[in-house]
Amino acid sequence: MNCRETAIPGVWILEPKVFGDARGFFMETWQRRRYADLGLPELVQDNLARSARGVLRGLHVQHPHAQGKLVQVLEGEVFDVAVDIRRGSPWYGHSVTVTLSGESRRQFWIPPGFAHGYYVTSDTALFAYKCSDYYHPETELAVRWDDPDLAIDWPLAGAPLLSEKDRTAPRLAEIAPERLPVYAAAR
């Protein structure tokens, strides 16, 4: 597996080995020992979402009960974003972006304490992710996807399709600091 750390330590772009021939391909999408060697925690929940072109989901985070997420696209293509919202982090408010597709088969590791979102750039996308904690809806919060302080350069083709939660999400600066995760080195 080819592993590339990004500009924010702990955020990884992973390229699993793919074995293919005229019949198709085979790849391991998860192997506990190999991913643990990278420092990924145990993953406890799998999620799957199908979305149409122009759907933007995010930016979402849970706190407490922060979830690390190992994400990948099985079919289609998305522009994926991880934003560091950990209080005291040297990378607070910075983001990492990557294009994920069923063709590239890349994975993206988003550590706990990061807000996550994606925008579908293909006709449809089948998006899979493994989480390091269970879903706790009472601890979920959303950060405004187009927060000017975050300056995310979304590759929009028109107005995105948003849920009500994402349409009305506050800017990061409007969220009470105690609602945000804390950078481990700042404790």
Side-chain angles (χ1 to χ4, degrees):
M1 175 166 43
N2 182 26
C3 306
R4 186 166 47 107
E5 193 160 30
T6 65
I8 300 177
V11 179
W12 292 85
I13 297 171
L14 308 168
E15 296 172 342
K17 288 184 181 176
V18 179
F19 304 93
D21 59 26
R23 299 168 300 155
F25 72 90
F26 171 85
M27 65 183 269
E28 284 183 352
T29 60
W30 168 254
Q31 202 246 46
R32 185 186 335 182
R33 283 184 300 231
R34 185 173 300 120
Y35 286 78
D37 288 347
L38 291 173
L40 273 64
E42 176 113 16
L43 302 176
V44 300
Q45 179 177 318
D46 282 2
N47 299 319
L48 187 64
R50 179 175 295 282
S51 300
R53 180 186 299 277
V55 167
L56 193 151
R57 296 183 185 267
L59 303 161
H60 302 151
V61 67
Q62 283 187 178
H63 178 69
H65 302 291
Q67 290 179 313
K69 296 177 181 175
L70 180 65
V71 304
Q72 68 186 95
V73 171
L74 303 177
E75 295 174 357
E77 182 179 273
V78 307
F79 177 80
D80 204 281
V81 179
V83 181
D84 188 347
I85 63 165
R86 301 169 297 172
R87 288 181 289 146
S89 168
W91 303 278
Y92 180 82
H94 293 214
S95 61
V96 174
T97 65
V98 62
T99 297
L100 302 174
S101 71
E103 188 174 304
S104 75
R105 300 182 187 91
R106 282 191 211 165
Q107 297 175 318
F108 191 33
W109 170 248
I110 301 137
F114 282 69
H116 172 250
Y118 62 92
Y119 174 72
V120 179
T121 57
S122 55
D123 287 340
T124 62
L126 188 58
F127 190 86
Y129 53 110
K130 296 180 175 302
C131 301
S132 65
D133 200 347
Y134 300 103
Y135 178 54
H136 293 270
E138 72 282 3
T139 69
E140 185 179 43
L141 57 117
V143 177
R144 190 163 177 85
W145 67 274
D146 61 350
D147 182 337
D149 295 333
L150 301 179
I152 299 167
D153 189 16
W154 297 94
L156 300 178
L161 301 170
L162 302 164
S163 68
E164 183 62 23
K165 172 177 70 177
D166 294 338
R167 187 178 0 275
T168 60
R171 294 174 52 187
L172 183 56
E174 297 169 339
I175 298 173
E178 62 274 8
R179 293 277 338 261
L180 299 176
V182 178
Y183 179 59
R187 292 181 187 168

